[in-house]
Amino acid sequence: QVQLVQSGAEVKKPGASVKVSCKAVGYTFTSYYMHWVRQAPGQGLEWMGIINPSGGSTSYAQKFQGRVTMTRDTSTSTVYMELSSLRSEDTAVYYCARPNDEYSSSFLGDYWGQGTLVTVSS
Amino acid sequence: QAVLTQPSSLSASPGASASLTCTLRSGINVGTYRIYWYQQKPGSPPRYLLRYKSDSDKQQGSGVPSRFSGSKDASANAGILFISGLQSEDEADYHCMIWHSSAWVFGGGTKLTVL
């Protein structure tokens, strides 16, 4: 069945970068876009951007432009989200989420990763 | 002013109904948007519940009971998630979302307590 398996928790210092992975299992990796969303402790959800695993094209939320990079490795069916220049406000759980529709950058659907906690602290 | 505003909390009794609102910022017309709703329980990722634009443009998420439904209140410029026959398992955070200005935008979420 479809699973999105994310990498483990990270602790980073301010100014550093973090790279979170999301491995797709149980479906054709290149047929579905992948979103990234984050959630700070006790806060709401925040969309970061989306990647098309087929060609690697990306679209980022304006807030993260210049600081986020989404990439993919088709040989391992894995997408990555790298966030640089980390600050304490970036402490959050980061999720990957797949649309329900093939070849579409549509809404975040039924499939989500388990989440990766990134803690930024000196 | 935030694009989407949700009340931070709501309480209701088991068996009762609850209406969770998602108010769009002034100048953004609720009638033109599909509104998506997600349920999130502690320690878990969100679960897609449904989307609603109109009675002819709506979708129920996979396995989501029919007691969850969507609607709009045009006079309040708001989307509504209606939950009937509340059960203890409905206690969760509920998030609304729209596609606006080339980005997916979420509300701040409503914590629903069933007691």
Side-chain angles (χ1 to χ4, degrees):
Chain A
Q1 77 273 24
V2 174
Q3 290 184 69
L4 302 177
V5 182
Q6 297 186 222
S7 49
E10 304 260 15
V11 179
K12 295 292 182 180
K13 293 195 181 303
S17 297
V18 67
K19 192 170 187 177
V20 179
S21 68
C22 171
K23 182 175 176 61
V25 178
Y27 69 93
T28 302
F29 176 67
T30 50
S31 295
Y32 293 85
Y33 287 60
M34 193 75 77
H35 296 273
W36 286 91
V37 172
R38 76 178 187 179
Q39 186 171 35
Q43 302 300 310
L45 300 166
E46 185 172 32
W47 184 76
M48 300 181 70
I50 190 170
I51 181 169
N52 178 357
S54 178
S57 61
T58 55
S59 177
Y60 302 139
Q62 189 170 12
K63 173 177 179 176
F64 299 101
Q65 291 271 5
R67 254 197 341 134
V68 71
T69 304
M70 296 176 188
T71 56
R72 93 294 190 212
D73 181 342
T74 56
S75 69
T76 59
S77 298
T78 302
V79 296
Y80 299 90
M81 186 285 300
E82 183 171 20
L83 189 63
S84 63
S85 303
L86 290 170
R87 33 206 189 235
S88 59
E89 309 90 88
D90 294 317
T91 293
V93 175
Y94 289 76
Y95 295 102
C96 56
R98 202 204 79 175
N100 286 352
D101 301 328
E102 283 184 295
Y103 312 115
S104 171
S105 59
S106 64
F107 68 98
L108 301 80
D110 294 323
Y111 302 103
W112 294 64
Q114 81 274 21
T116 296
L117 175 62
V118 175
T119 303
V120 183
S121 175
S122 54
Chain B
Q1 187 184 7
V3 172
L4 300 176
T5 300
Q6 298 181 252
S8 58
S9 62
L10 181 67
S11 296
S13 300
S17 300
S19 293
L20 285 71
T21 59
C22 176
T23 302
L24 280 64
R25 184 175 66 197
S26 177
I28 305 173
N29 180 3
V30 69
T32 62
Y33 288 87
R34 285 176 167 173
I35 300 184
Y36 299 80
W37 289 94
Y38 296 82
Q39 177 193 65
Q40 186 180 26
K41 296 184 178 179
S44 295
R47 173 196 182 192
Y48 170 59
L49 292 177
L50 58 88
R51 76 153 192 256
Y52 184 90
K53 181 177 182 181
S54 65
D55 284 345
S56 60
D57 183 353
K58 61 182 180 181
Q59 179 191 64
Q60 200 79 354
S62 176
V64 177
S66 58
R67 55 194 189 83
F68 290 85
S69 62
S71 66
K72 290 179 179 178
D73 181 346
S75 64
N77 203 34
I80 297 170
L81 175 67
F82 182 77
I83 311 172
S84 62
L86 279 168
Q87 302 176 3
S88 57
E89 67 203 51
D90 299 330
E91 184 161 297
D93 293 330
Y94 291 85
H95 306 274
C96 61
M97 181 185 78
I98 64 171
W99 175 251
H100 174 69
S101 295
S102 302
W104 291 103
V105 179
F106 289 92
T110 295
K111 180 177 181 61
L112 175 65
T113 301
V114 180
L115 47 65

